[in-house]
Amino acid sequence: MARTPALSTRVLLICAAIGVATGVLQVAAGAVSAPVSAFVPVLYGLVLGVHVVPGVVAQALLRLPWVALITHLLAALVASAFAPPWIGRYLGTALLIGGLQEGIAALTRYRQWQAWRFFVSAVIVGAVIAVAIWFAADVAKFAVWGQILYVTLFIVGPVLWTAVGLAVGSALRRAGVARTSTAASRR
């Protein structure tokens, strides 16, 4: 059985940089989430989908175990600095989504980095969050068309944000950022 290499300082610094940038993105999403929830709640899934970005960028760029979870946790800490009362939500979301992304990558033994794997992950994340939010937001109070749209957008949101994350991760990889890690450059 091959031993998983320890994450280098360079990899951790890349995770930190991605975490800071995506944490600020989550702050922006948090700022619009309350008005969206209040005035157009069926669109909330599109806003909440932004939380997949830290792990997608980290995994697409570095292609290593644990980078999604580490980056998610760092992004959550950055976002929490701007909204301290939400630290539990940010950390919980980071653990849930980062954990799902790591788990799905682990199922392929961290060997599948094609776009399809990221989109399968996005659909699973969206479905899990849709179920949780269904009860928290009492979605059953909406008309049937609203319930269908609500759940659909909770799946579409992570898929759209995954496309954004893949584009960013691919651009960073083409720019040579991943070459700073010998383990990442061998893949």
Side-chain angles (χ1 to χ4, degrees):
M1 185 161 121
R3 186 171 170 258
T4 303
L7 296 175
S8 70
T9 302
R10 289 178 186 227
V11 168
L12 293 174
L13 287 171
I14 292 169
C15 290
I18 296 167
V20 169
T22 56
V24 171
L25 181 62
Q26 289 177 2
V27 169
V32 300
S33 66
V36 168
S37 292
F39 298 111
V40 199
V42 295
L43 298 180
Y44 186 54
L46 294 176
V47 175
L48 196 61
V50 76
H51 289 282
V52 300
V53 175
V56 171
V57 173
Q59 286 184 331
L61 174 62
L62 298 168
R63 300 177 179 181
L64 293 169
W66 300 110
V67 296
L69 188 59
I70 291 166
T71 305
H72 271 285
L73 289 170
L74 292 169
L77 292 174
V78 169
S80 297
F82 291 91
W86 288 9
I87 189 168
R89 290 180 186 177
Y90 281 124
L91 289 174
T93 301
L95 288 171
L96 173 66
I97 296 175
L100 285 169
Q101 288 172 329
E102 287 293 339
I104 292 163
L107 287 174
T108 64
R109 300 182 75 190
Y110 293 96
R111 293 185 181 149
Q112 297 295 322
W113 301 109
Q114 297 89 354
W116 67 264
R117 206 268 310 149
F118 288 94
F119 289 116
V120 167
S121 177
V123 169
I124 292 169
V125 166
V128 168
I129 293 173
V131 169
I133 295 293
W134 179 278
F135 298 106
D138 191 22
V139 177
K141 69 182 176 190
F142 297 145
V144 173
W145 69 267
Q147 294 174 15
I148 293 168
L149 182 61
Y150 197 83
V151 170
T152 300
L153 291 181
F154 264 97
I155 294 170
V156 169
V159 169
L160 292 175
W161 284 106
T162 293
V164 170
L166 283 173
V168 171
S170 295
L172 291 170
R173 195 165 179 75
R174 282 191 310 275
V177 175
R179 281 194 295 258
T180 61
S181 165
T182 56
S185 64
R186 282 183 277 162
R187 299 186 198 278

